[in-house]
Amino acid sequence: MLLKTFGWSFAITVVGLVVAGVLWGWQGLAIVGILSVLEISLSFDNAVINAGILRKMNAFWQKIFLTFGILIAVFGMRLVFPVVIVAITAKLGPIEAVKLAINDKAHYQELVTSAHPAIAAFGGMFLLMIFLDFIFEERDYKWLSWIEKPMAKMGKLDMLSVIIALVALLVSAMTVATDVAHGGGDKTATVLLAGVAGLITYLVVGGISGYFEGKLEEDDEDDEDDEEDGAPAPAAQGTGSAVGLAGKAAFFMFLYLEVIDASFSFDGVIGAFAITNDIFMMALGLGIGAMYIRSLTVFLVRKGTLDDYVYLEHGAHYAIGALAVILLVTIKYEVHEVITGLVGIALIGLSFASSVLRNRREGKPGDPTGTKAEVTSGV
């Protein structure tokens, strides 16, 4: 199971490190290895979130995410995205931007860093919406019940998460966006525009995927009603919840996953410049790390880990909320990548420990049954 799931990641790690050693020597090999570890530590919570969504898809779309999706993650976000940012910021053509990245690495790094406020505002708002929608939703399992119970009650107010996100954006734009550390000057308009774009992206992609998912669930309920009434149910077409989402629902869910992955990768790409400004070393190191995140996602889905350890998703979403806040703070202030990674790992570790304790109390690991009182952590 372990070798089957992580086999490609192990193989690409070996090939990547060999290539790094041949091209850049021992120093390049060490840099690529450090970047891989950096990406894994920063994106572990990403794997938990991905698994929670991926398990809803059918086998075909899971393969699409793990093949085509990894190409987008590795080559799109870790190699092409920084070049595109430079091209837009410096008003250069794609070829000129690539030449700049290769021939004038210091200036290239400066341009990418100067674009950080817009990147942080977009990613911060997108991730903040994920956290807010999670925390305001009524759930059977509650990890930090003293927070989640009142938040669930407040979540009955329509559009509350959008209102809070917009307030957070306005506060960021009027405070941390002035005299920013990345490039200097007033970035209020840039932060506002990028933040609104992140919010709109979440509402559009998440809304459409949620619509189709809900529609398929309604179809499943209609089929069950027909069976109870004695009418023959329609032949399974691989679109129902029993076998996973497919068709339009899975497509928009796939887009949602890719945007989430992009939002998670922002801090990794920017943070990588603290280690190297060579785009090829960066792409190779971060790409290896991204492969492990994909493999870990598959492992969590196949092992049913999220069903066995019910607070893991809570910890991952709290880590997302923390990352969203950190991204908004980094518009003006420097936050070391080690802090970002440790916050996420600590929250997920605590949620895992709480899940283990719950399973021991229940006497049956991962038992999803029981009353709400029984499954509430009460922490």
Side-chain angles (χ1 to χ4, degrees), residues 117-157:
I119 297 171
F122 181 95
M125 290 301 294
F126 190 92
L127 294 177
L128 182 60
M129 283 298 300
I130 294 176
F131 168 71
L132 291 175
D133 277 351
F134 178 87
I135 200 68
F136 286 136
E137 183 180 352
E138 181 64 44
R139 321 188 74 83
D140 288 338
Y141 299 104
K142 293 179 176 63
W143 180 33
L144 304 179
S145 57
W146 56 278
I147 294 177
E148 295 170 17
K149 282 184 177 180
M151 291 297 102
K153 293 179 180 179
M154 292 174 59
K156 295 178 181 180
L157 297 174

Side-chain angles (χ1 to χ4, degrees), residues 72-311:
I72 297 176
V74 175
F75 296 104
M77 291 309 304
R78 275 73 179 182
L79 181 61
V80 177
F81 170 72
V83 175
V84 171
I85 288 297
V86 168
I88 295 174
T89 304
K91 298 180 180 179
L92 300 173
I95 297 178
E96 288 79 7
V98 173
K99 289 181 179 179
L100 179 65
I102 296 175
N103 300 322
D104 193 351
K105 298 176 181 177
H107 186 43
Y108 169 79
Q109 177 179 348
E110 179 183 346
L111 290 173
V112 173
T113 305
S114 67
H116 178 74
I119 297 171
F122 181 95
M125 290 301 294
F126 190 92
L127 294 177
L128 182 60
M129 283 298 300
I130 294 176
F131 168 71
L132 291 175
D133 277 351
F134 178 87
I135 200 68
F136 286 136
E137 183 180 352
E138 181 64 44
R139 321 188 74 83
D140 288 338
Y141 299 104
K142 293 179 176 63
W143 180 33
L144 304 179
S145 57
W146 56 278
I147 294 177
E148 295 170 17
K149 282 184 177 180
M151 291 297 102
K153 293 179 180 179
M154 292 174 59
K156 295 178 181 180
L157 297 174
D158 290 338
M159 306 301 289
L160 181 60
S161 58
V162 176
I163 294 172
I164 292 178
L166 287 174
V167 171
L169 177 61
L170 285 174
V171 171
S172 300
M174 300 305 294
T175 55
V176 298
T178 58
D179 189 27
V180 294
H182 304 280
D186 190 340
K187 298 284 186 177
T188 301
T190 300
V191 169
L192 282 174
L193 182 61
V196 170
L199 178 61
I200 292 174
T201 302
Y202 173 85
L203 293 175
V204 171
V205 179
I208 293 176
S209 62
Y211 166 77
F212 283 110
E213 182 181 0
K215 193 171 185 300
L216 287 175
E217 290 177 354
E218 290 178 3
D219 292 342
D220 286 344
E221 292 176 359
D222 291 341
D223 292 343
E224 291 177 359
D225 291 340
D226 290 340
E227 288 181 349
E228 291 178 358
D229 294 337
Q237 297 178 352
T239 58
S241 59
V243 292
L245 298 179
K248 294 179 181 178
F251 172 72
F252 283 105
M253 194 69 77
F254 169 78
L255 292 181
Y256 181 57
L257 270 173
E258 290 303 319
V259 178
I260 290 177
D261 183 76
S263 300
F264 272 98
S265 70
F266 291 153
D267 59 332
V269 171
I270 298 298
F273 280 103
I275 300 172
T276 180
N277 54 17
D278 188 305
I279 61 170
F280 298 109
M281 283 188 188
M282 194 180 301
L284 185 57
L286 297 180
I288 291 173
M291 281 295 300
Y292 279 96
I293 297 303
R294 282 300 195 277
S295 297
L296 182 58
T297 298
V298 177
F299 181 81
L300 294 174
V301 172
R302 291 177 177 173
K303 293 287 289 185
T305 306
L306 299 184
D307 294 325
D308 293 338
Y309 303 96
V310 294
Y311 300 138

